[in-house]
PDB file of all heavy atoms in Angstrom:
ATOM      1  N   ALA A   1      23.331  -9.956 -22.822  1.00  0.00           N
ATOM      2  CA  ALA A   1      22.910 -11.077 -21.919  1.00  0.00           C
ATOM      3  C   ALA A   1      22.714 -10.565 -20.482  1.00  0.00           C
ATOM      4  O   ALA A   1      21.788 -10.915 -19.816  1.00  0.00           O
ATOM      5  CB  ALA A   1      23.884 -12.179 -21.986  1.00  0.00           C
ATOM      6  N   LEU A   2      23.620  -9.690 -20.002  1.00  0.00           N
ATOM      7  CA  LEU A   2      23.567  -9.194 -18.689  1.00  0.00           C
ATOM      8  C   LEU A   2      22.314  -8.358 -18.537  1.00  0.00           C
ATOM      9  O   LEU A   2      21.587  -8.408 -17.547  1.00  0.00           O
ATOM     10  CB  LEU A   2      24.783  -8.362 -18.395  1.00  0.00           C
ATOM     11  CG  LEU A   2      24.884  -7.674 -17.009  1.00  0.00           C
ATOM     12  CD1 LEU A   2      24.799  -8.689 -15.923  1.00  0.00           C
ATOM     13  CD2 LEU A   2      26.136  -6.840 -16.890  1.00  0.00           C
ATOM     14  N   ALA A   3      22.002  -7.515 -19.514  1.00  0.00           N
ATOM     15  CA  ALA A   3      20.819  -6.621 -19.454  1.00  0.00           C
ATOM     16  C   ALA A   3      19.541  -7.504 -19.437  1.00  0.00           C
ATOM     17  O   ALA A   3      18.548  -7.194 -18.776  1.00  0.00           O
ATOM     18  CB  ALA A   3      20.776  -5.702 -20.629  1.00  0.00           C
ATOM     19  N   ALA A   4      19.551  -8.573 -20.283  1.00  0.00           N
ATOM     20  CA  ALA A   4      18.398  -9.478 -20.298  1.00  0.00           C
ATOM     21  C   ALA A   4      18.144 -10.140 -18.942  1.00  0.00           C
ATOM     22  O   ALA A   4      17.015 -10.271 -18.465  1.00  0.00           O
ATOM     23  CB  ALA A   4      18.531 -10.462 -21.387  1.00  0.00           C
ATOM     24  N   ARG A   5      19.225 -10.616 -18.379  1.00  0.00           N
ATOM     25  CA  ARG A   5      19.101 -11.239 -16.995  1.00  0.00           C
ATOM     26  C   ARG A   5      18.619 -10.220 -16.026  1.00  0.00           C
ATOM     27  O   ARG A   5      17.822 -10.605 -15.162  1.00  0.00           O
ATOM     28  CB  ARG A   5      20.438 -11.840 -16.643  1.00  0.00           C
ATOM     29  CG  ARG A   5      20.405 -12.674 -15.376  1.00  0.00           C
ATOM     30  CD  ARG A   5      21.604 -13.521 -15.179  1.00  0.00           C
ATOM     31  NE  ARG A   5      21.445 -14.408 -14.063  1.00  0.00           N
ATOM     32  CZ  ARG A   5      22.327 -15.292 -13.734  1.00  0.00           C
ATOM     33  NH1 ARG A   5      23.444 -15.511 -14.454  1.00  0.00           N
ATOM     34  NH2 ARG A   5      22.185 -16.058 -12.632  1.00  0.00           N
ATOM     35  N   LEU A   6      19.170  -9.037 -16.055  1.00  0.00           N
ATOM     36  CA  LEU A   6      18.690  -8.008 -15.141  1.00  0.00           C
ATOM     37  C   LEU A   6      17.263  -7.691 -15.286  1.00  0.00           C
ATOM     38  O   LEU A   6      16.527  -7.488 -14.324  1.00  0.00           O
ATOM     39  CB  LEU A   6      19.526  -6.711 -15.397  1.00  0.00           C
ATOM     40  CG  LEU A   6      19.059  -5.481 -14.600  1.00  0.00           C
ATOM     41  CD1 LEU A   6      19.350  -5.691 -13.122  1.00  0.00           C
ATOM     42  CD2 LEU A   6      19.830  -4.213 -15.145  1.00  0.00           C
ATOM     43  N   GLY A   7      16.731  -7.747 -16.528  1.00  0.00           N
ATOM     44  CA  GLY A   7      15.269  -7.504 -16.726  1.00  0.00           C
ATOM     45  C   GLY A   7      14.472  -8.583 -15.972  1.00  0.00           C
ATOM     46  O   GLY A   7      13.441  -8.196 -15.392  1.00  0.00           O
ATOM     47  N   GLY A   8      14.832  -9.802 -15.999  1.00  0.00           N
ATOM     48  CA  GLY A   8      14.155 -10.878 -15.202  1.00  0.00           C
ATOM     49  C   GLY A   8      14.227 -10.609 -13.734  1.00  0.00           C
ATOM     50  O   GLY A   8      13.182 -10.789 -13.059  1.00  0.00           O
ATOM     51  N   VAL A   9      15.345 -10.241 -13.289  1.00  0.00           N
ATOM     52  CA  VAL A   9      15.498  -9.939 -11.803  1.00  0.00           C
ATOM     53  C   VAL A   9      14.667  -8.764 -11.380  1.00  0.00           C
ATOM     54  O   VAL A   9      13.983  -8.761 -10.357  1.00  0.00           O
ATOM     55  CB  VAL A   9      16.995  -9.709 -11.440  1.00  0.00           C
ATOM     56  CG1 VAL A   9      17.115  -9.285  -9.981  1.00  0.00           C
ATOM     57  CG2 VAL A   9      17.823 -10.956 -11.708  1.00  0.00           C
ATOM     58  N   ARG A  10      14.641  -7.740 -12.213  1.00  0.00           N
ATOM     59  CA  ARG A  10      13.792  -6.550 -11.925  1.00  0.00           C
ATOM     60  C   ARG A  10      12.317  -6.909 -11.827  1.00  0.00           C
ATOM     61  O   ARG A  10      11.583  -6.437 -11.000  1.00  0.00           O
ATOM     62  CB  ARG A  10      14.035  -5.426 -12.996  1.00  0.00           C
ATOM     63  CG  ARG A  10      15.364  -4.735 -12.910  1.00  0.00           C
ATOM     64  CD  ARG A  10      15.442  -3.653 -13.960  1.00  0.00           C
ATOM     65  NE  ARG A  10      14.573  -2.539 -13.568  1.00  0.00           N
ATOM     66  CZ  ARG A  10      14.238  -1.526 -14.402  1.00  0.00           C
ATOM     67  NH1 ARG A  10      14.621  -1.530 -15.642  1.00  0.00           N
ATOM     68  NH2 ARG A  10      13.470  -0.535 -13.983  1.00  0.00           N
ATOM     69  N   ALA A  11      11.869  -7.752 -12.799  1.00  0.00           N
ATOM     70  CA  ALA A  11      10.493  -8.128 -12.803  1.00  0.00           C
ATOM     71  C   ALA A  11      10.090  -8.842 -11.587  1.00  0.00           C
ATOM     72  O   ALA A  11       9.081  -8.568 -10.946  1.00  0.00           O
ATOM     73  CB  ALA A  11      10.189  -8.999 -14.070  1.00  0.00           C
ATOM     74  N   ARG A  12      10.995  -9.789 -11.158  1.00  0.00           N
ATOM     75  CA  ARG A  12      10.655 -10.571  -9.923  1.00  0.00           C
ATOM     76  C   ARG A  12      10.763  -9.656  -8.678  1.00  0.00           C
ATOM     77  O   ARG A  12       9.994  -9.798  -7.749  1.00  0.00           O
ATOM     78  CB  ARG A  12      11.610 -11.728  -9.819  1.00  0.00           C
ATOM     79  CG  ARG A  12      11.287 -12.841 -10.802  1.00  0.00           C
ATOM     80  CD  ARG A  12      12.128 -14.096 -10.489  1.00  0.00           C
ATOM     81  NE  ARG A  12      13.544 -13.937 -10.758  1.00  0.00           N
ATOM     82  CZ  ARG A  12      14.035 -14.058 -11.985  1.00  0.00           C
ATOM     83  NH1 ARG A  12      13.298 -14.326 -13.034  1.00  0.00           N
ATOM     84  NH2 ARG A  12      15.347 -13.958 -12.119  1.00  0.00           N
ATOM     85  N   ALA A  13      11.684  -8.712  -8.701  1.00  0.00           N
ATOM     86  CA  ALA A  13      11.826  -7.757  -7.573  1.00  0.00           C
ATOM     87  C   ALA A  13      10.613  -6.853  -7.464  1.00  0.00           C
ATOM     88  O   ALA A  13      10.150  -6.564  -6.318  1.00  0.00           O
ATOM     89  CB  ALA A  13      13.150  -6.949  -7.730  1.00  0.00           C
ATOM     90  N   ARG A  14      10.111  -6.394  -8.618  1.00  0.00           N
ATOM     91  CA  ARG A  14       8.923  -5.594  -8.574  1.00  0.00           C
ATOM     92  C   ARG A  14       7.756  -6.369  -7.970  1.00  0.00           C
ATOM     93  O   ARG A  14       6.963  -5.809  -7.174  1.00  0.00           O
ATOM     94  CB  ARG A  14       8.571  -4.992  -9.954  1.00  0.00           C
ATOM     95  CG  ARG A  14       9.413  -3.838 -10.383  1.00  0.00           C
ATOM     96  CD  ARG A  14       8.822  -3.203 -11.650  1.00  0.00           C
ATOM     97  NE  ARG A  14       8.855  -4.090 -12.801  1.00  0.00           N
ATOM     98  CZ  ARG A  14       9.900  -4.125 -13.689  1.00  0.00           C
ATOM     99  NH1 ARG A  14      10.870  -3.232 -13.520  1.00  0.00           N
ATOM    100  NH2 ARG A  14       9.865  -4.922 -14.731  1.00  0.00           N
ATOM    101  N   GLN A  15       7.635  -7.580  -8.370  1.00  0.00           N
ATOM    102  CA  GLN A  15       6.555  -8.421  -7.805  1.00  0.00           C
ATOM    103  C   GLN A  15       6.800  -8.661  -6.302  1.00  0.00           C
ATOM    104  O   GLN A  15       5.810  -8.635  -5.452  1.00  0.00           O
ATOM    105  CB  GLN A  15       6.471  -9.752  -8.518  1.00  0.00           C
ATOM    106  CG  GLN A  15       6.124  -9.651 -10.018  1.00  0.00           C
ATOM    107  CD  GLN A  15       4.800  -9.067 -10.259  1.00  0.00           C
ATOM    108  OE1 GLN A  15       3.728  -9.675  -9.943  1.00  0.00           O
ATOM    109  NE2 GLN A  15       4.727  -7.948 -10.775  1.00  0.00           N
ATOM    110  N   GLY A  16       8.013  -8.918  -5.930  1.00  0.00           N
ATOM    111  CA  GLY A  16       8.327  -9.066  -4.487  1.00  0.00           C
ATOM    112  C   GLY A  16       8.050  -7.862  -3.645  1.00  0.00           C
ATOM    113  O   GLY A  16       7.562  -7.943  -2.520  1.00  0.00           O
ATOM    114  N   ALA A  17       8.335  -6.679  -4.258  1.00  0.00           N
ATOM    115  CA  ALA A  17       8.065  -5.407  -3.501  1.00  0.00           C
ATOM    116  C   ALA A  17       6.598  -5.255  -3.400  1.00  0.00           C
ATOM    117  O   ALA A  17       6.113  -4.780  -2.307  1.00  0.00           O
ATOM    118  CB  ALA A  17       8.689  -4.233  -4.290  1.00  0.00           C
ATOM    119  N   LEU A  18       5.816  -5.614  -4.416  1.00  0.00           N
ATOM    120  CA  LEU A  18       4.367  -5.507  -4.330  1.00  0.00           C
ATOM    121  C   LEU A  18       3.824  -6.466  -3.214  1.00  0.00           C
ATOM    122  O   LEU A  18       2.914  -6.106  -2.501  1.00  0.00           O
ATOM    123  CB  LEU A  18       3.728  -5.889  -5.698  1.00  0.00           C
ATOM    124  CG  LEU A  18       2.220  -5.717  -5.846  1.00  0.00           C
ATOM    125  CD1 LEU A  18       1.768  -4.283  -5.569  1.00  0.00           C
ATOM    126  CD2 LEU A  18       1.795  -6.119  -7.199  1.00  0.00           C
ATOM    127  N   LEU A  19       4.408  -7.658  -3.195  1.00  0.00           N
ATOM    128  CA  LEU A  19       3.948  -8.651  -2.198  1.00  0.00           C
ATOM    129  C   LEU A  19       4.282  -8.115  -0.806  1.00  0.00           C
ATOM    130  O   LEU A  19       3.586  -8.397   0.138  1.00  0.00           O
ATOM    131  CB  LEU A  19       4.704  -9.958  -2.483  1.00  0.00           C
ATOM    132  CG  LEU A  19       4.114 -11.235  -1.872  1.00  0.00           C
ATOM    133  CD1 LEU A  19       2.704 -11.488  -2.300  1.00  0.00           C
ATOM    134  CD2 LEU A  19       5.001 -12.453  -2.178  1.00  0.00           C
ATOM    135  N   ARG A  20       5.399  -7.370  -0.615  1.00  0.00           N
ATOM    136  CA  ARG A  20       5.719  -6.875   0.669  1.00  0.00           C
ATOM    137  C   ARG A  20       4.918  -5.619   1.052  1.00  0.00           C
ATOM    138  O   ARG A  20       4.440  -5.532   2.147  1.00  0.00           O
ATOM    139  CB  ARG A  20       7.242  -6.519   0.679  1.00  0.00           C
ATOM    140  CG  ARG A  20       7.705  -5.923   1.979  1.00  0.00           C
ATOM    141  CD  ARG A  20       9.171  -5.539   1.957  1.00  0.00           C
ATOM    142  NE  ARG A  20       9.560  -5.008   3.251  1.00  0.00           N
ATOM    143  CZ  ARG A  20       9.456  -3.763   3.609  1.00  0.00           C
ATOM    144  NH1 ARG A  20       8.946  -2.873   2.853  1.00  0.00           N
ATOM    145  NH2 ARG A  20       9.886  -3.373   4.819  1.00  0.00           N
ATOM    146  N   GLU A  21       4.828  -4.690   0.119  1.00  0.00           N
ATOM    147  CA  GLU A  21       4.234  -3.455   0.485  1.00  0.00           C
ATOM    148  C   GLU A  21       2.671  -3.451   0.333  1.00  0.00           C
ATOM    149  O   GLU A  21       1.939  -2.759   1.032  1.00  0.00           O
ATOM    150  CB  GLU A  21       4.801  -2.326  -0.427  1.00  0.00           C
ATOM    151  CG  GLU A  21       6.341  -2.186  -0.364  1.00  0.00           C
ATOM    152  CD  GLU A  21       6.796  -1.650   0.956  1.00  0.00           C
ATOM    153  OE1 GLU A  21       5.935  -1.064   1.712  1.00  0.00           O
ATOM    154  OE2 GLU A  21       7.996  -1.724   1.221  1.00  0.00           O
ATOM    155  N   GLY A  22       2.221  -4.265  -0.615  1.00  0.00           N
ATOM    156  CA  GLY A  22       0.814  -4.260  -0.949  1.00  0.00           C
ATOM    157  C   GLY A  22       0.518  -2.973  -1.701  1.00  0.00           C
ATOM    158  O   GLY A  22       1.330  -2.239  -2.114  1.00  0.00           O
ATOM    159  N   ILE A  23      -0.825  -2.755  -1.975  1.00  0.00           N
ATOM    160  CA  ILE A  23      -1.299  -1.596  -2.679  1.00  0.00           C
ATOM    161  C   ILE A  23      -2.353  -0.877  -1.828  1.00  0.00           C
ATOM    162  O   ILE A  23      -3.128  -1.555  -1.182  1.00  0.00           O
ATOM    163  CB  ILE A  23      -1.793  -1.852  -4.093  1.00  0.00           C
ATOM    164  CG1 ILE A  23      -2.949  -2.801  -4.038  1.00  0.00           C
ATOM    165  CG2 ILE A  23      -0.634  -2.418  -4.964  1.00  0.00           C
ATOM    166  CD1 ILE A  23      -3.620  -2.958  -5.439  1.00  0.00           C
ATOM    167  N   ARG A  24      -2.380   0.423  -1.948  1.00  0.00           N
ATOM    168  CA  ARG A  24      -3.323   1.292  -1.222  1.00  0.00           C
ATOM    169  C   ARG A  24      -4.509   1.571  -2.213  1.00  0.00           C
ATOM    170  O   ARG A  24      -4.339   2.282  -3.220  1.00  0.00           O
ATOM    171  CB  ARG A  24      -2.733   2.510  -0.772  1.00  0.00           C
ATOM    172  CG  ARG A  24      -1.716   2.335   0.378  1.00  0.00           C
ATOM    173  CD  ARG A  24      -0.835   3.559   0.567  1.00  0.00           C
ATOM    174  NE  ARG A  24      -0.117   3.864  -0.621  1.00  0.00           N
ATOM    175  CZ  ARG A  24       0.599   5.009  -0.836  1.00  0.00           C
ATOM    176  NH1 ARG A  24       0.708   5.918   0.105  1.00  0.00           N
ATOM    177  NH2 ARG A  24       1.246   5.213  -2.007  1.00  0.00           N
ATOM    178  N   VAL A  25      -5.661   1.035  -1.919  1.00  0.00           N
ATOM    179  CA  VAL A  25      -6.835   1.189  -2.773  1.00  0.00           C
ATOM    180  C   VAL A  25      -7.857   2.014  -2.031  1.00  0.00           C
ATOM    181  O   VAL A  25      -8.182   1.717  -0.858  1.00  0.00           O
ATOM    182  CB  VAL A  25      -7.465  -0.196  -3.108  1.00  0.00           C
ATOM    183  CG1 VAL A  25      -8.718  -0.068  -3.994  1.00  0.00           C
ATOM    184  CG2 VAL A  25      -6.430  -1.102  -3.852  1.00  0.00           C
ATOM    185  N   VAL A  26      -8.371   3.055  -2.687  1.00  0.00           N
ATOM    186  CA  VAL A  26      -9.372   3.909  -2.094  1.00  0.00           C
ATOM    187  C   VAL A  26     -10.646   3.716  -2.867  1.00  0.00           C
ATOM    188  O   VAL A  26     -10.679   3.785  -4.111  1.00  0.00           O
ATOM    189  CB  VAL A  26      -8.917   5.380  -2.122  1.00  0.00           C
ATOM    190  CG1 VAL A  26     -10.064   6.342  -1.676  1.00  0.00           C
ATOM    191  CG2 VAL A  26      -7.728   5.576  -1.223  1.00  0.00           C
ATOM    192  N   ILE A  27     -11.758   3.522  -2.142  1.00  0.00           N
ATOM    193  CA  ILE A  27     -13.105   3.462  -2.707  1.00  0.00           C
ATOM    194  C   ILE A  27     -13.712   4.854  -2.587  1.00  0.00           C
ATOM    195  O   ILE A  27     -13.894   5.387  -1.588  1.00  0.00           O
ATOM    196  CB  ILE A  27     -13.982   2.464  -1.980  1.00  0.00           C
ATOM    197  CG1 ILE A  27     -13.299   1.045  -1.942  1.00  0.00           C
ATOM    198  CG2 ILE A  27     -15.384   2.350  -2.678  1.00  0.00           C
ATOM    199  CD1 ILE A  27     -14.086   0.065  -1.084  1.00  0.00           C
ATOM    200  N   ALA A  28     -13.957   5.430  -3.816  1.00  0.00           N
ATOM    201  CA  ALA A  28     -14.523   6.804  -3.874  1.00  0.00           C
ATOM    202  C   ALA A  28     -15.786   6.841  -4.635  1.00  0.00           C
ATOM    203  O   ALA A  28     -16.006   6.023  -5.525  1.00  0.00           O
ATOM    204  CB  ALA A  28     -13.438   7.741  -4.480  1.00  0.00           C
ATOM    205  N   GLY A  29     -16.542   7.890  -4.386  1.00  0.00           N
ATOM    206  CA  GLY A  29     -17.832   8.055  -5.102  1.00  0.00           C
ATOM    207  C   GLY A  29     -18.772   8.923  -4.302  1.00  0.00           C
ATOM    208  O   GLY A  29     -18.487   9.442  -3.202  1.00  0.00           O
ATOM    209  N   GLN A  30     -19.935   9.105  -4.891  1.00  0.00           N
ATOM    210  CA  GLN A  30     -20.959   9.945  -4.235  1.00  0.00           C
ATOM    211  C   GLN A  30     -21.591   9.164  -2.995  1.00  0.00           C
ATOM    212  O   GLN A  30     -21.411   7.969  -2.875  1.00  0.00           O
ATOM    213  CB  GLN A  30     -22.060  10.310  -5.218  1.00  0.00           C
ATOM    214  CG  GLN A  30     -21.598  11.169  -6.359  1.00  0.00           C
ATOM    215  CD  GLN A  30     -22.799  11.649  -7.209  1.00  0.00           C
ATOM    216  OE1 GLN A  30     -23.691  12.273  -6.716  1.00  0.00           O
ATOM    217  NE2 GLN A  30     -22.771  11.247  -8.496  1.00  0.00           N
ATOM    218  N   PRO A  31     -22.267   9.893  -2.125  1.00  0.00           N
ATOM    219  CA  PRO A  31     -22.942   9.217  -1.059  1.00  0.00           C
ATOM    220  C   PRO A  31     -23.958   8.227  -1.587  1.00  0.00           C
ATOM    221  O   PRO A  31     -24.609   8.404  -2.608  1.00  0.00           O
ATOM    222  CB  PRO A  31     -23.606  10.408  -0.299  1.00  0.00           C
ATOM    223  CG  PRO A  31     -22.861  11.617  -0.673  1.00  0.00           C
ATOM    224  CD  PRO A  31     -22.338  11.399  -2.042  1.00  0.00           C
ATOM    225  N   ASN A  32     -24.089   7.119  -0.831  1.00  0.00           N
ATOM    226  CA  ASN A  32     -25.034   6.097  -1.099  1.00  0.00           C
ATOM    227  C   ASN A  32     -24.776   5.353  -2.395  1.00  0.00           C
ATOM    228  O   ASN A  32     -25.658   4.633  -2.937  1.00  0.00           O
ATOM    229  CB  ASN A  32     -26.473   6.636  -1.216  1.00  0.00           C
ATOM    230  CG  ASN A  32     -27.127   6.697   0.166  1.00  0.00           C
ATOM    231  OD1 ASN A  32     -26.488   6.246   1.223  1.00  0.00           O
ATOM    232  ND2 ASN A  32     -28.340   7.216   0.255  1.00  0.00           N
ATOM    233  N   ALA A  33     -23.547   5.388  -2.914  1.00  0.00           N
ATOM    234  CA  ALA A  33     -23.157   4.627  -4.037  1.00  0.00           C
ATOM    235  C   ALA A  33     -22.879   3.163  -3.680  1.00  0.00           C
ATOM    236  O   ALA A  33     -22.832   2.292  -4.572  1.00  0.00           O
ATOM    237  CB  ALA A  33     -21.935   5.226  -4.807  1.00  0.00           C
ATOM    238  N   GLY A  34     -22.700   2.909  -2.340  1.00  0.00           N
ATOM    239  CA  GLY A  34     -22.437   1.536  -1.937  1.00  0.00           C
ATOM    240  C   GLY A  34     -21.018   1.296  -1.591  1.00  0.00           C
ATOM    241  O   GLY A  34     -20.563   0.169  -1.603  1.00  0.00           O
ATOM    242  N   LYS A  35     -20.260   2.346  -1.202  1.00  0.00           N
ATOM    243  CA  LYS A  35     -18.815   2.190  -0.907  1.00  0.00           C
ATOM    244  C   LYS A  35     -18.588   1.316   0.302  1.00  0.00           C
ATOM    245  O   LYS A  35     -17.748   0.420   0.309  1.00  0.00           O
ATOM    246  CB  LYS A  35     -18.221   3.563  -0.672  1.00  0.00           C
ATOM    247  CG  LYS A  35     -18.269   4.519  -1.885  1.00  0.00           C
ATOM    248  CD  LYS A  35     -17.607   5.846  -1.714  1.00  0.00           C
ATOM    249  CE  LYS A  35     -18.319   6.632  -0.579  1.00  0.00           C
ATOM    250  NZ  LYS A  35     -19.710   6.971  -0.946  1.00  0.00           N
ATOM    251  N   SER A  36     -19.369   1.542   1.351  1.00  0.00           N
ATOM    252  CA  SER A  36     -19.165   0.744   2.553  1.00  0.00           C
ATOM    253  C   SER A  36     -19.599  -0.701   2.305  1.00  0.00           C
ATOM    254  O   SER A  36     -18.956  -1.650   2.791  1.00  0.00           O
ATOM    255  CB  SER A  36     -20.027   1.291   3.739  1.00  0.00           C
ATOM    256  OG  SER A  36     -19.596   2.596   4.051  1.00  0.00           O
ATOM    257  N   SER A  37     -20.646  -0.916   1.546  1.00  0.00           N
ATOM    258  CA  SER A  37     -21.042  -2.275   1.164  1.00  0.00           C
ATOM    259  C   SER A  37     -19.930  -2.936   0.373  1.00  0.00           C
ATOM    260  O   SER A  37     -19.687  -4.156   0.549  1.00  0.00           O
ATOM    261  CB  SER A  37     -22.323  -2.295   0.411  1.00  0.00           C
ATOM    262  OG  SER A  37     -23.412  -1.728   1.095  1.00  0.00           O
ATOM    263  N   LEU A  38     -19.212  -2.241  -0.511  1.00  0.00           N
ATOM    264  CA  LEU A  38     -18.150  -2.854  -1.299  1.00  0.00           C
ATOM    265  C   LEU A  38     -17.029  -3.187  -0.422  1.00  0.00           C
ATOM    266  O   LEU A  38     -16.397  -4.259  -0.629  1.00  0.00           O
ATOM    267  CB  LEU A  38     -17.755  -1.831  -2.407  1.00  0.00           C
ATOM    268  CG  LEU A  38     -16.576  -2.318  -3.267  1.00  0.00           C
ATOM    269  CD1 LEU A  38     -16.956  -3.670  -3.900  1.00  0.00           C
ATOM    270  CD2 LEU A  38     -16.328  -1.286  -4.323  1.00  0.00           C
ATOM    271  N   LEU A  39     -16.674  -2.319   0.535  1.00  0.00           N
ATOM    272  CA  LEU A  39     -15.597  -2.688   1.458  1.00  0.00           C
ATOM    273  C   LEU A  39     -15.935  -3.957   2.176  1.00  0.00           C
ATOM    274  O   LEU A  39     -15.074  -4.855   2.345  1.00  0.00           O
ATOM    275  CB  LEU A  39     -15.346  -1.558   2.510  1.00  0.00           C
ATOM    276  CG  LEU A  39     -14.348  -1.820   3.582  1.00  0.00           C
ATOM    277  CD1 LEU A  39     -12.984  -2.151   3.078  1.00  0.00           C
ATOM    278  CD2 LEU A  39     -14.325  -0.681   4.624  1.00  0.00           C
ATOM    279  N   ASN A  40     -17.135  -4.074   2.701  1.00  0.00           N
ATOM    280  CA  ASN A  40     -17.577  -5.330   3.428  1.00  0.00           C
ATOM    281  C   ASN A  40     -17.516  -6.548   2.519  1.00  0.00           C
ATOM    282  O   ASN A  40     -17.065  -7.600   2.925  1.00  0.00           O
ATOM    283  CB  ASN A  40     -18.985  -5.125   3.962  1.00  0.00           C
ATOM    284  CG  ASN A  40     -19.053  -4.081   5.060  1.00  0.00           C
ATOM    285  OD1 ASN A  40     -18.004  -3.656   5.652  1.00  0.00           O
ATOM    286  ND2 ASN A  40     -20.228  -3.586   5.346  1.00  0.00           N
TER     287      ASN A  40
END
């Protein structure tokens, strides 16, 4: 029961960490693929 409860806390903590830190997304590709347009 303790392990199961811990699993729920870990799941919420991971979501909370994602909400705090965010994610680093890089747009990559060849020239003129539209990377700047996608950022906009």
